[in-house]
Amino acid sequence: MEGGVILEVSLNKGGAFIKKCFNRDFCKQLGLEENQRIDGLEAAYFLSIKKACIGGRSGWDEALDFLEKLSVPLHLFIVYYDLRRRGRKVQRGLRDSTLLAEVPGKKKIEVLILREGEEVKPSFISNWSELAVSDSYTPVVAIVDKNGEVTYYESRIYSDLGGLSSL
């Protein structure tokens, strides 16, 4: 086992699980227990930063293989990884291709994840934005380019036409 590995994860038809915890205090602090189900994105994140292993191995190759076996789109993981590296608490969103994140001491955001070049109707983004706001989230669109870089845009819908309504 590598020095920084704290978890061994496994994968079966039921999803991702914690097989073994090597640092009980750390696992307790994160609320993780052996034989507990763990979100595949979180398990892949731990694999990518070499805090988890599968079959005695860890790293990016294992994380990518893990995601492929779970049928998780790479662009979803790239945004998850980016937000976690920025210190955000992240979980899967309520809607397809979304994540929920908390900015410490500030606001909660819902992130809609799109790939560069993906065709999306403005009405789709508008409807999604309104739903996110109605659920008390700040709507943010993340666009993942072909190189895996992420750009974030706050998405707000404004209905006030600024004086045009009197026409």
Side-chain angles (χ1 to χ4, degrees):
M1 236 28 70
E2 296 179 37
V5 172
I6 57 168
L7 298 172
E8 182 174 1
V9 294
S10 64
L11 189 60
N12 63 37
K13 290 181 183 179
F17 290 86
I18 298 171
K19 185 173 182 179
K20 180 101 176 123
C21 183
F22 301 112
N23 183 329
R24 301 252 183 246
D25 291 335
F26 189 81
C27 290
K28 186 176 179 180
Q29 182 181 6
L30 292 178
L32 302 173
E33 298 177 13
E34 290 181 9
N35 301 316
Q36 175 186 348
R37 186 181 182 102
I38 185 172
D39 185 276
L41 289 168
E42 185 73 351
Y45 174 73
F46 282 138
L47 284 166
S48 71
I49 63 169
K50 299 185 177 187
K51 292 292 182 189
C53 67
I54 186 165
R57 299 177 48 168
S58 64
W60 272 101
D61 289 341
E62 286 70 26
L64 296 175
D65 185 52
F66 197 80
L67 292 167
E68 187 176 325
K69 288 177 181 170
L70 288 171
S71 300
V72 174
L74 182 59
H75 64 284
L76 185 71
F77 178 69
I78 288 171
V79 174
Y80 184 91
Y81 178 87
D82 184 62
L83 291 169
R84 288 285 277 121
R85 295 299 283 187
R86 293 171 185 252
R88 309 302 191 256
K89 288 176 68 174
V90 186
Q91 62 187 33
R92 289 181 192 259
L94 305 171
R95 292 166 265 282
D96 288 341
S97 296
T98 65
L99 296 171
L100 302 176
E102 289 184 40
V103 178
K106 294 186 181 178
K107 57 188 174 184
K108 295 180 181 181
I109 61 174
E110 181 172 348
V111 182
L112 174 64
I113 301 151
L114 303 173
R115 291 173 301 213
E116 178 182 30
E118 183 176 353
E119 289 189 28
V120 179
K121 293 183 179 184
S123 61
F124 173 79
I125 294 175
S126 173
N127 291 337
W128 163 78
S129 181
E130 288 176 4
L131 288 171
V133 169
S134 71
D135 289 338
S136 300
Y137 291 101
T138 299
V140 173
V141 175
I143 300 177
V144 181
D145 73 16
K146 63 185 177 192
N147 297 316
E149 296 292 322
V150 183
T151 305
Y152 298 94
Y153 300 93
E154 188 168 339
S155 173
R156 290 287 185 174
I157 305 303
Y158 295 100
S159 59
D160 181 16
L161 297 177
L164 295 178
S165 59
S166 63
L167 295 177

